[in-house]
CSV table of all heavy atoms in Angstrom, one decimal:
chain,number,residue,atom,x,y,z
A,17,ALA,N,-5.2,20.9,-8.6
A,17,ALA,CA,-4.7,22.0,-9.5
A,17,ALA,C,-5.4,22.1,-10.8
A,17,ALA,O,-5.1,22.9,-11.6
A,17,ALA,CB,-3.2,21.7,-9.8
A,48,ALA,N,-12.1,1.5,-8.1
A,48,ALA,CA,-12.7,2.8,-7.8
A,48,ALA,C,-13.9,2.6,-7.0
A,48,ALA,O,-14.6,1.6,-7.1
A,48,ALA,CB,-13.0,3.5,-9.1
A,73,ASP,N,-10.5,-11.0,2.7
A,73,ASP,CA,-9.1,-11.1,2.4
A,73,ASP,C,-8.7,-10.7,1.0
A,73,ASP,O,-7.7,-11.0,0.5
A,73,ASP,CB,-8.6,-12.6,2.7
A,73,ASP,CG,-9.4,-13.6,1.8
A,73,ASP,OD1,-10.3,-13.2,1.1
A,73,ASP,OD2,-9.1,-14.8,1.9
A,75,ASN,N,-10.1,-11.6,-1.9
A,75,ASN,CA,-10.4,-12.5,-3.0
A,75,ASN,C,-11.7,-13.2,-2.8
A,75,ASN,O,-12.3,-13.1,-1.7
A,75,ASN,CB,-9.2,-13.5,-3.2
A,75,ASN,CG,-9.1,-14.4,-2.0
A,75,ASN,OD1,-10.0,-15.1,-1.6
A,75,ASN,ND2,-7.9,-14.4,-1.4
A,113,THR,N,-25.2,-58.3,11.8
A,113,THR,CA,-26.1,-59.5,12.1
A,113,THR,C,-25.2,-60.6,12.6
A,113,THR,O,-25.8,-61.7,12.8
A,113,THR,CB,-26.9,-59.9,10.9
A,113,THR,OG1,-26.1,-60.5,9.9
A,113,THR,CG2,-27.7,-58.8,10.3
A,117,SER,N,-17.9,-59.2,15.6
A,117,SER,CA,-17.3,-58.5,14.5
A,117,SER,C,-16.0,-57.8,14.9
A,117,SER,O,-16.1,-56.9,15.8
A,117,SER,CB,-18.3,-57.5,13.8
A,117,SER,OG,-19.4,-58.2,13.4
A,131,LEU,N,-17.7,-46.3,-1.5
A,131,LEU,CA,-17.0,-47.4,-0.7
A,131,LEU,C,-18.0,-48.2,0.1
A,131,LEU,O,-18.9,-47.6,0.7
A,131,LEU,CB,-16.0,-46.7,0.2
A,131,LEU,CG,-14.7,-46.2,-0.4
A,131,LEU,CD1,-13.9,-45.4,0.6
A,131,LEU,CD2,-13.9,-47.2,-1.1
A,134,PHE,N,-16.9,-54.2,4.5
A,134,PHE,CA,-16.8,-55.7,4.7
A,134,PHE,C,-16.3,-55.9,6.2
A,134,PHE,O,-15.3,-55.2,6.6
A,134,PHE,CB,-15.8,-56.3,3.8
A,134,PHE,CG,-16.3,-56.5,2.4
A,134,PHE,CD1,-16.6,-55.3,1.6
A,134,PHE,CD2,-16.5,-57.7,1.8
A,134,PHE,CE1,-17.0,-55.4,0.3
A,134,PHE,CE2,-17.0,-57.8,0.5
A,134,PHE,CZ,-17.2,-56.7,-0.3
A,171,GLN,N,-13.4,-71.7,13.6
A,171,GLN,CA,-13.5,-71.8,15.1
A,171,GLN,C,-13.0,-70.5,15.8
A,171,GLN,O,-12.9,-70.5,17.0
A,171,GLN,CB,-12.8,-73.0,15.6
A,171,GLN,CG,-13.3,-74.3,15.1
A,171,GLN,CD,-14.6,-74.7,15.6
A,171,GLN,OE1,-14.9,-74.4,16.8
A,171,GLN,NE2,-15.5,-75.3,14.8
A,175,ALA,N,-10.1,-62.6,9.9
A,175,ALA,CA,-9.5,-61.4,9.5
A,175,ALA,C,-9.6,-61.2,8.0
A,175,ALA,O,-9.5,-62.1,7.3
A,175,ALA,CB,-8.0,-61.4,9.9
A,190,GLN,N,-9.7,-69.8,11.7
A,190,GLN,CA,-9.1,-71.0,12.5
A,190,GLN,C,-10.1,-72.1,12.4
A,190,GLN,O,-11.3,-72.0,12.6
A,190,GLN,CB,-8.9,-70.6,14.0
A,190,GLN,CG,-8.2,-71.7,14.8
A,190,GLN,CD,-7.9,-71.3,16.2
A,190,GLN,OE1,-8.7,-70.5,16.7
A,190,GLN,NE2,-6.9,-71.8,16.8
A,203,VAL,N,-14.0,-60.8,-5.6
A,203,VAL,CA,-15.2,-59.9,-5.5
A,203,VAL,C,-15.7,-59.5,-6.8
A,203,VAL,O,-15.0,-58.8,-7.6
A,203,VAL,CB,-14.8,-58.7,-4.6
A,203,VAL,CG1,-16.0,-57.8,-4.3
A,203,VAL,CG2,-14.2,-59.1,-3.3
A,241,PRO,N,-1.3,-63.9,-0.2
A,241,PRO,CA,-1.8,-63.5,1.1
A,241,PRO,C,-0.8,-63.9,2.2
A,241,PRO,O,0.0,-64.7,2.1
A,241,PRO,CB,-3.1,-64.4,1.3
A,241,PRO,CG,-2.8,-65.6,0.4
A,241,PRO,CD,-2.0,-65.1,-0.7
A,250,LEU,N,3.9,-65.9,11.3
A,250,LEU,CA,3.4,-65.5,10.0
A,250,LEU,C,3.2,-66.8,9.2
A,250,LEU,O,4.1,-67.6,9.1
A,250,LEU,CB,4.4,-64.6,9.3
A,250,LEU,CG,4.4,-63.1,9.7
A,250,LEU,CD1,5.5,-62.3,9.0
A,250,LEU,CD2,3.0,-62.5,9.4
A,255,GLY,N,3.1,-71.3,-2.6
A,255,GLY,CA,3.3,-72.6,-3.1
A,255,GLY,C,3.2,-73.6,-2.0
A,255,GLY,O,2.1,-74.0,-1.6
A,319,ALA,N,2.2,-52.4,26.3
A,319,ALA,CA,1.0,-53.1,25.8
A,319,ALA,C,0.4,-52.5,24.6
A,319,ALA,O,-0.7,-52.1,24.5
A,319,ALA,CB,0.0,-53.1,26.9
A,406,GLY,N,2.2,-31.2,11.9
A,406,GLY,CA,3.1,-31.2,10.7
A,406,GLY,C,4.5,-31.8,11.0
A,406,GLY,O,5.2,-32.1,10.1
A,414,ASP,N,-10.2,-30.3,19.3
A,414,ASP,CA,-11.4,-29.8,19.9
A,414,ASP,C,-12.2,-29.2,18.8
A,414,ASP,O,-12.1,-28.0,18.4
A,414,ASP,CB,-11.1,-28.7,20.9
A,414,ASP,CG,-12.2,-28.3,21.8
A,414,ASP,OD1,-13.3,-28.9,21.7
A,414,ASP,OD2,-12.1,-27.4,22.6
A,428,ALA,N,-17.5,-50.7,22.6
A,428,ALA,CA,-16.0,-50.9,22.5
A,428,ALA,C,-15.7,-51.0,21.0
A,428,ALA,O,-16.0,-52.0,20.4
A,428,ALA,CB,-15.6,-52.0,23.3
A,453,GLY,N,-23.7,-58.4,21.9
A,453,GLY,CA,-23.2,-59.6,21.3
A,453,GLY,C,-23.3,-59.6,19.8
A,453,GLY,O,-23.0,-60.6,19.2
Side-chain angles (χ1 to χ4, degrees):
D73 59 358
N75 64 56
T113 72
S117 300
L131 290 172
F134 287 65
Q171 299 290 326
Q190 185 177 30
V203 183
L250 278 177
D414 194 5

